[in-house]
Amino acid sequence: MTTPAIDLSIIPAAQRAAVLALMEKVAALTEITQRQEHLIAELNHALHGKRSEKLTEDERQLAFEDLSIALGEVEVQKEHLAAKTGDKTTTKPAPKRTIGNLPAALPRIEEVIEPDSLICPCGCGIMHKIGEDRSERLDIVPAQLRVIVTVRPKYACRTCTDGVTQAPAPSHLIMGALPTEATIAHVLVSKYADHLPLYRQSQILARAGLDLHRAVLADWVGKAAFHLKPVVDRLAEHLKRSDKLFMDETTAPVLDPGRGKTKTGYLWALARDDRPWGGEDPPGVVYFYAPGRAGANAEICLTGFDGILQIDGYQGYNRLTKPTRKGGAPIRVAHCWAHARRKLKEVFDRDGSEIAAEGLRRIAEIYTVEADIRGISHGQRLSARQARSAPLVAAFGEWLQAERRKISSKSRLGEKLTYIHNHWEGLQTFLTDGRVEIDNNRVENLIRPITLNRKNALFAGHDEGGIAWGRIASLIETCKINGVEPFAYLKTTLTAIAQDHPQSRIDDLLPWNFRTSS
């Protein structure tokens, strides 16, 4: 339904700001509601549509959990919009009873939160305890389940009737629900680092006597993904300020419930790693999900970045180097010598080509120089490359052109040599900047965890799941390459967010700034 246009000119100036704010709120709520209705329809179609019969039980479960994650995110987005606008009329979920929902056999650790003062406000003296509120949340310590019991005693004055006091309830990421922030962190790490789909986690918990349906876990993940989005967005901002980044893409098969089969989505990895030359910026990676491999998706991911981009030979990146590039100035690319080597290795392994062998030998000489200068400053690397590598690369270029003239471009070897020729300019970029690597191997290493998750989970259950996958994997993998334990980081970060960590200090929540409490 379209909201009718309002003529603001007839509204008094004093009321105009309030009307504009109301219109913005209505538009935001409409957008959220439309997304929620769409997701619910998708969920019903995946579970009950005719083509859902083509799906296996595992496929249906994956679709269900990823759509449930998205619905969980929409729900908390609505709550945040209502809180931001001060709307007390928006219906909030009914508080969930926590006492008695968790197995009695789980150990209980009581945390008693006392008021700051027990002195009666009217000056009557010390208050006495008249009762208490108790709540239980599920907490997970690796390999151990336990229940955190929060006790908030109530105190009242014996003399007057107005002196009841009690400590306020602590803030949690998901108010009124079972999990502690540690539990949510455990579920995230298990799914996105240990490659355990939520329905398998549900089965594992069931063996411990805890009945938690995958839909409940999916709701937790969706809410966590919403709260972590600003941190990932900030991480991406930091990376795009760099002078040089890596980029690569990998398939992320996604279930298409409407067709009863999978389609091919992609996770685009944008990474920084300046450790080989002692750069001061910490390493990091962000995974952007897109429904396809078109170069336009890379262009969107790189909006705001204007440095050197280290990539493989995929032609979709070509649009980034043109004056028509959207989101920034034309990018200078550095192509990957490892890919050039692989092209020749494929031919050599197949038929033992002497020409391919010679090409491999020449590339090995260039890599020998790189091994010798690894770890020194970028200025020293540049000097060494100009003195030692440049003559080797020039000789390789002359050899390449001579061999191309002898061989049919339609032959297998001719195609490989043409590939190298077509990327020759980008293959020489490392000779002009000591910060540039000779290959793209560092970002390829950051793609491997995605492929492992793909192997174990088979595919994401929905496009929305691909987005959450990329978002949380960004934080987990950035933790790993900075030597930070992902569970400890996520537990601390989610706790800080639950306690209203200020937006002005969001950089404190980036993985490379994480410090374990002593």
Side-chain angles (χ1 to χ4, degrees):
M1 182 177 65
T2 303
T3 304
I6 298 177
D7 185 359
L8 295 177
S9 63
I10 64 175
I11 300 176
Q15 301 175 5
R16 197 169 298 159
V19 172
L20 285 171
L22 182 60
M23 291 173 64
E24 291 177 359
K25 177 188 171 185
V26 169
L29 279 173
T30 300
E31 182 179 351
I32 292 172
T33 301
Q34 287 175 345
R35 183 184 178 207
Q36 190 173 35
E37 290 174 349
H38 171 72
L39 290 171
I40 291 173
E42 287 266 56
L43 184 60
N44 288 332
H45 195 73
L47 295 179
H48 308 299
K50 291 182 179 179
R51 293 185 177 178
S52 68
E53 298 175 1
K54 299 180 181 180
L55 305 176
T56 67
E57 182 60 26
D58 282 359
E59 289 171 342
R60 279 194 292 270
Q61 289 173 346
L62 284 167
F64 182 86
E65 73 181 38
D66 276 340
L67 283 165
S68 297
I69 287 172
L71 285 169
E73 183 176 349
V74 170
E75 180 182 323
V76 75
Q77 189 177 2
K78 262 188 175 180
E79 295 172 11
H80 269 249
L81 180 61
K84 182 178 179 181
T85 57
D87 184 2
K88 298 181 180 180
T89 63
T90 300
T91 303
K92 295 184 178 180
K96 299 175 183 177
R97 174 178 169 80
T98 62
I99 297 293
N101 285 354
L102 297 169
L106 292 180
R108 259 68 176 172
I109 298 175
E110 292 196 354
E111 296 178 342
V112 180
I113 305 175
E114 295 280 6
D116 292 335
S117 174
L118 299 180
I119 303 299
C120 178
C122 65
C124 303
I126 303 296
M127 299 180 180
H128 71 281
K129 184 175 179 180
I130 60 172
E132 63 186 23
D133 287 340
R134 301 174 72 90
S135 63
E136 295 183 349
R137 296 186 301 143
L138 176 66
D139 189 38
I140 293 181
V141 177
Q144 178 187 3
L145 302 183
R146 64 184 186 181
V147 176
I148 301 295
V149 180
T150 300
V151 180
R152 296 186 297 124
K154 292 181 179 179
Y155 294 87
C157 177
R158 293 183 183 275
T159 305
C160 67
T161 59
D162 299 329
V164 177
T165 190
Q166 183 183 36
S171 297
H172 307 305
L173 193 75
I174 307 178
M175 294 300 294
L178 295 178
T180 62
E181 288 66 44
T183 300
I184 299 171
H186 176 82
V187 172
L188 295 179
V189 171
S190 296
K191 178 173 174 60
Y192 296 106
D194 300 330
H195 321 302
L196 280 174
L198 298 183
Y199 73 90
R200 293 181 187 166
Q201 293 189 49
S202 177
Q203 294 168 352
I204 292 170
L205 293 171
R207 293 200 295 269
L210 187 62
D211 184 15
L212 281 176
H213 193 272
R214 64 182 181 276
V216 176
L217 302 180
D219 182 68
W220 298 352
V221 173
K223 288 178 168 58
F226 171 83
H227 288 292
L228 291 171
K229 182 180 184 298
V231 182
V232 178
D233 290 345
R234 184 60 174 164
L235 173 59
E237 289 177 15
H238 271 272
L239 295 187
K240 291 179 185 180
R241 292 176 184 172
S242 305
D243 294 324
K244 187 263 299 178
L245 292 175
F246 298 92
M247 193 171 203
D248 199 5
E249 79 289 339
T250 188
T251 56
V254 172
L255 188 64
D256 187 357
R259 298 167 58 199
K261 59 182 182 180
T262 60
K263 60 183 179 180
T264 302
Y266 282 83
L267 283 171
W268 301 73
L270 186 63
R272 177 178 67 200
D273 193 347
D274 297 336
R275 291 174 293 179
W277 53 269
E280 295 182 357
D281 291 332
V285 60
V286 173
Y287 302 94
F288 299 90
Y289 174 78
R293 199 188 182 196
N297 293 316
E299 196 170 38
I300 293 171
C301 298
L302 288 165
T303 298
F305 173 70
D306 292 321
I308 298 174
L309 189 67
Q310 298 212 241
I311 54 176
D312 58 23
Y314 172 49
Q315 293 182 350
Y317 293 117
N318 292 347
R319 65 191 295 142
L320 302 173
T321 65
K322 298 178 179 179
T324 55
R325 178 209 168 193
K326 297 178 181 178
I331 285 177
R332 186 183 180 195
V333 300
H335 282 121
C336 175
W337 276 92
H339 278 77
R341 182 184 182 279
R342 287 173 202 163
K343 298 295 182 182
L344 296 176
K345 188 73 164 53
E346 289 173 7
V347 176
F348 178 77
D349 288 345
R350 180 175 179 177
D351 55 25
S353 166
E354 292 184 3
I355 296 176
E358 175 63 15
L360 292 172
R361 184 192 66 77
R362 289 174 178 269
I363 294 175
E365 290 180 341
I366 301 172
Y367 267 90
T368 297
V369 178
E370 289 300 305
D372 291 343
I373 64 177
R374 185 173 295 116
I376 64 177
S377 71
H378 66 92
Q380 292 173 314
R381 293 213 308 179
L382 179 58
S383 297
R385 285 171 174 171
Q386 290 175 340
R388 299 175 57 189
S389 301
L392 297 174
V393 172
F396 184 95
E398 293 174 0
W399 170 85
L400 174 67
Q401 298 308 324
E403 296 302 329
R404 289 186 67 230
R405 287 192 291 267
K406 301 176 186 176
I407 301 171
S408 169
S409 61
K410 296 182 179 180
S411 67
R412 184 175 177 84
L413 177 58
E415 290 176 353
K416 307 303 182 184
L417 295 178
T418 298
Y419 170 90
I420 299 173
H421 167 76
N422 289 342
H423 298 91
W424 187 241
E425 181 179 354
L427 288 170
Q428 297 180 82
T429 303
F430 83 107
L431 297 175
T432 62
D433 194 320
R435 299 168 302 176
V436 175
E437 295 304 309
I438 192 173
D439 56 38
N440 218 31
N441 287 350
R442 291 193 171 268
V443 70
E444 287 191 353
N445 290 336
L446 293 171
I447 287 290
R448 288 175 184 170
I450 301 298
T451 60
L452 284 174
N453 203 29
R454 183 175 66 210
K455 178 180 178 182
N456 285 273
L458 301 181
F459 43 77
H462 194 270
D463 282 326
E464 296 282 351
I467 296 171
W469 182 0
R471 189 179 298 168
I472 298 171
S474 298
L475 296 176
I476 288 175
E477 297 307 320
T478 299
C479 280
K480 289 181 181 179
I481 57 179
N482 282 279
V484 173
E485 202 284 304
F487 170 79
Y489 163 77
L490 285 171
K491 174 187 174 183
T492 301
T493 300
L494 293 173
T495 300
I497 293 172
Q499 296 174 354
D500 295 326
H501 185 88
Q503 178 70 22
S504 60
R505 292 173 46 211
I506 194 170
D507 281 7
D508 295 347
L509 301 183
L510 295 174
W512 52 68
N513 290 326
F514 175 73
R515 299 290 182 272
T516 55
S517 57
S518 55

